[in-house]
Amino acid sequence: MTGKMYNEITLDLPLQEPDRQYYYMEKCRRHVHELEKEKGHALTFFVRTFGCQMNARDSEKLRGILLQAGLKECENEEADFVLYNTCTVRDNANQKVYGHLGYLQTLKKKNPAMKIALCGCMMQEPLVVERIKKSYCFVDLVFGTHNIYKLAELLYCCLTEKKMVVDVWDSAKAVVEDLPAVRKYPFKSGVNIMYGCNNFCSYCIVPYVRGRERSRDLEDILSEIRRLASGGVKEVMLLGQNVNSYGKTLAKPVSFAELLYQVNAVEGIERIRFMTSHPKDLSDGLIAAMRDCKKVCHHLHLPLQSGSSRILKVMNRCYTKEQYLDLVERIRAAIPDISLTTDIIVGFPGETKEDFEETLDVVQKVRFDSAFTFLYSKRAKTAAAEMENQVPEAVAKERFDRLLREVQQIASEVCGRDVNTVQPVLVECENDHQAGYVSGRLGNNLLVHFPGDASLVGQIVPVRLTNAKGFYYIGKSEKETEDGR
Ligand code: SAH
Ligand code: SF4
Ligand code: F3S
């Protein structure tokens, strides 16, 4: 955990951030302490995250604040303060949250002092907030994506007020950093390098709920990474909706490739990953940086979305099928062992059988290591929601199944390519299912299970990949063999 503590509440409420939030963390701690004395037990919290890596990183910040506010973290919803960090990228993400809310209501009946809070992308939609206010009045706190740093202040409000507290902002007012955060793993961390998105792909709601693209200053990013490294972090994941356009709007413009070189030079960091790359902004300079920076993992998530140039145009993706294929060729020429993964949408408005065949064609030509496939979901405010000729559900579903079979077949063939080689594995945890085994990840993010004990967790170990199992490997530590154990 990082961040400072206020031992004494100053008499005046600080106006500057983040001081104001540290003041509220202290106020919460005192209040929580009183409540605990009354109840005779510790007050607990639970945060559930829906959605992408960006939300996962936000949840680490939210959990850091809650810990400093004096609450203890617990494993499930049977807590005194439950916070859902929501996603709205597809309608099923929203439906999941509504479904879970029913469960929270039953828990609240058993523990009426329980507080229920919702934040994140879904809360940026006015219709969602209306529905929560009207039909889910047992919810105590609602806030959005632009003010997560205010959680301590909002929590204090929520603990001391009876009515629902709602605080959702239309756009980001200030980027407030230097607040506490807790990580799931002590040895790896996400690092935001930019917020928001300016691309307005015609199907996508993210620019509406995350606001305009804002890059963080290079020096701020580097000092955060240096701090993480000195705290034992070995792997960083640089996060942004379109990392390839990083730095373009800064007062002193910097390229993403330049950022990679600089992160590569940070002592203690051993692996660098990033998410997500937009094909339209992937420069030759970046390909060279990936090739030359030893710590950058040879893994690239390069969302295709569709293989049809016609559909790509309507999606506003700004590349054609041919440009995508050419890009893949250039990347593979420079980095032959690159692992490529992708996102594909099926059933975008107006998608014909021929358009879909083009997508299959790209999948067969590129042979992705894995692909996330999604059924198109109509999102409010987006350009595609207004388009006529929405594809009938049954047709989209049939294409989806066909595509899924294809990507799975290819993935299972591609995944085995490193069998019998020795690869560095960052060990994440002891294996839940098999005693005496640990699990870790390769540079390309695939899982490897191999015999080992807890002392290996957080270490990078050379492992011989003995068996390919489709989507993971079984291996054997080479360290062990050397030691003769
Ligand atoms: N910024 C990233 C993607 C973020 S959203 C990028 O540009 O690649 C993650 C994925 O969700 C997208 O790549 C897309 O495949 C999918 N997605 C986004 N909106 C969608 C929608 N309306 N319906 C179905 N899938 C969608
Ligand atoms: Fe959405 Fe496109 Fe931005 Fe990705 S780049 S978040 S798909 S608008
Ligand atoms: Fe979902 Fe928001 Fe991420 S909509 S995909 S959690 S940016």
Side-chain angles (χ1 to χ4, degrees):
M1 162 154 0
T2 55
K4 55 184 169 177
M5 290 256 212
Y6 269 61
N7 293 324
E8 293 295 325
I9 293 186
T10 44
L11 284 176
D12 299 320
L13 170 66
L15 294 175
Q16 291 289 325
E17 297 291 5
D19 291 356
R20 185 183 166 98
Q21 297 312 312
Y22 282 99
Y23 166 91
Y24 274 108
M25 282 177 227
E26 172 63 26
K27 254 180 114 77
C28 285
R29 268 201 299 279
R30 292 180 178 207
H31 190 77
V32 166
H33 190 66
E34 288 306 311
L35 289 175
E36 285 180 346
K37 274 201 284 187
E38 246 170 61
K39 289 174 181 277
H41 63 79
L43 247 62
T44 55
F45 77 89
F46 176 68
V47 178
R48 186 179 289 281
T49 312
F50 299 82
C52 67
Q53 306 267 3
M54 240 68 63
N55 255 21
R57 179 68 186 141
D58 283 349
S59 288
E60 294 181 345
K61 297 176 185 171
L62 295 164
R63 288 166 53 226
I65 295 171
L66 291 171
L67 284 172
Q68 283 223 15
L71 298 166
K72 313 269 173 310
E73 186 158 21
C74 73
E75 303 260 294
N76 58 41
E77 273 90 347
E78 287 177 33
D80 298 294
F81 182 77
V82 174
L83 173 58
Y84 280 173
N85 189 8
T86 63
C87 169
T88 186
V89 75
R90 287 168 290 276
D91 186 55
N92 54 9
N94 296 41
Q95 295 315 322
K96 240 190 235 166
V97 171
Y98 289 126
H100 275 69
L101 279 176
Y103 172 57
L104 289 188
Q105 189 176 21
T106 58
L107 289 179
K108 195 166 180 167
K109 281 188 183 136
K110 282 192 257 166
N111 174 15
M114 174 186 183
K115 298 282 182 184
I116 298 172
L118 301 172
C119 69
C121 297
M122 200 175 146
M123 300 306 125
Q124 291 296 136
E125 289 185 85
L127 285 178
V128 169
V129 177
E130 281 316 305
R131 179 166 169 190
I132 304 277
K133 280 186 186 160
K134 213 168 126 217
S135 314
Y136 298 84
C137 51
F138 56 89
V139 170
D140 300 282
L141 170 62
V142 173
F143 58 106
T145 56
H146 300 302
N147 54 348
I148 64 158
Y149 72 86
K150 265 187 77 180
L151 174 59
E153 187 171 345
L154 295 169
L155 173 68
Y156 186 73
C157 248
C158 168
L159 290 174
T160 50
E161 296 226 5
K162 286 253 172 319
K163 60 179 197 301
M164 190 190 291
V165 178
V166 178
D167 191 12
V168 180
W169 301 354
D170 293 346
S171 59
K173 291 182 189 155
V175 177
V176 179
E177 288 167 343
D178 295 327
L179 282 161
V182 277
R183 295 188 300 276
K184 183 167 173 209
Y185 298 108
F187 46 85
K188 66 175 189 178
S189 179
V191 174
N192 296 108
I193 63 165
M194 59 210 296
Y195 303 98
C197 182
N198 281 355
N199 289 301
F200 291 94
C201 301
S202 62
Y203 50 81
C204 185
I205 199 167
V206 171
Y208 301 92
V209 296
R210 285 274 172 178
R212 292 295 60 74
E213 184 179 297
R214 285 126 20 234
S215 291
R216 284 178 71 196
D217 280 332
L218 180 69
E219 269 318 310
D220 290 345
I221 297 171
L222 291 174
S223 52
E224 179 176 343
I225 295 177
R226 285 189 204 110
R227 209 169 47 236
L228 289 169
S230 62
V233 166
K234 292 191 173 141
E235 177 179 307
V236 285
M237 164 82 93
L238 309 177
L239 296 171
Q241 293 297 352
N242 176 11
V243 292
N244 301 345
S245 74
Y246 168 76
K248 287 186 179 163
T249 53
L250 286 172
K252 218 177 111 214
V254 193
S255 69
F256 181 55
E258 179 57 28
L259 173 68
L260 279 188
Y261 285 111
Q262 302 249 9
V263 178
N264 196 60
V266 175
E267 215 174 299
I269 294 298
E270 294 184 40
R271 271 184 177 179
I272 304 165
R273 301 182 184 281
F274 52 87
M275 273 266 235
T276 297
S277 278
H278 194 307
K280 79 177 164 74
D281 293 313
L282 204 150
S283 65
D284 285 331
L286 176 60
I287 299 176
M290 286 188 74
R291 181 196 59 205
D292 298 340
C293 295
K294 292 281 161 288
K295 299 174 182 174
V296 174
C297 290
H298 287 182
H299 171 214
L300 187 64
H301 187 65
L302 194 63
L304 167 70
Q305 312 303 2
S306 168
S308 152
S309 297
R310 194 184 69 80
I311 293 288
L312 285 168
K313 191 157 196 295
V314 192
M315 284 179 162
N316 194 27
R317 290 290 288 180
C318 307
Y319 53 86
T320 61
K321 174 187 182 185
E322 290 68 32
Q323 283 166 336
Y324 188 94
L325 289 173
D326 174 64
L327 180 60
V328 166
E329 217 167 275
R330 281 185 284 133
I331 296 166
R332 286 210 165 123
I335 313 162
D337 65 342
I338 191 89
S339 154
L340 287 174
T341 57
T342 200
D343 292 345
I344 300 170
I345 298 175
V346 175
F348 181 83
E351 182 190 73
T352 61
K353 188 168 167 293
E354 289 70 32
D355 292 318
F356 176 66
E357 302 283 344
E358 299 273 21
T359 299
L360 279 179
D361 186 45
V362 177
V363 165
Q364 283 153 358
K365 287 200 164 96
V366 177
R367 296 179 61 76
F368 294 103
D369 286 60
S370 75
F372 295 100
T373 50
F374 305 110
L375 269 174
Y376 166 74
S377 171
K378 193 171 172 176
R379 307 316 287 135
K381 285 202 203 156
T382 62
E386 304 300 319
M387 292 176 191
E388 285 161 15
N389 55 29
Q390 303 272 329
V391 175
E393 214 179 303
V395 175
K397 185 74 182 56
E398 198 201 312
R399 289 179 192 163
F400 178 88
D401 291 342
R402 203 169 143 210
L403 178 67
L404 190 64
R405 275 199 303 278
E406 190 70 31
V407 297
Q408 284 182 341
Q409 176 60 35
I410 293 172
S412 67
E413 291 162 19
V414 175
C415 163
R417 68 179 169 185
D418 289 328
V419 76
N420 283 328
T421 63
V422 176
Q423 302 281 341
V425 173
L426 174 56
V427 182
E428 291 192 345
C429 55
E430 288 182 277
N431 193 297
D432 290 344
H433 304 292
Q434 196 161 2
Y437 271 68
V438 289
S439 304
R441 285 187 191 272
L442 295 170
N444 68 11
N445 216 28
L446 277 186
L447 265 176
V448 182
H449 308 294
F450 66 96
D453 58 39
S455 68
L456 295 178
V457 173
Q459 290 195 41
I460 296 185
V461 182
V463 175
R464 179 169 295 279
L465 308 176
T466 49
N467 279 313
K469 295 278 189 184
F471 299 98
Y472 64 92
Y473 286 102
I474 301 292
K476 191 170 185 318
S477 164
E478 286 281 302
K479 242 187 183 168
E480 241 177 39
T481 339
E482 281 161 21
D483 294 346
R485 274 186 282 149

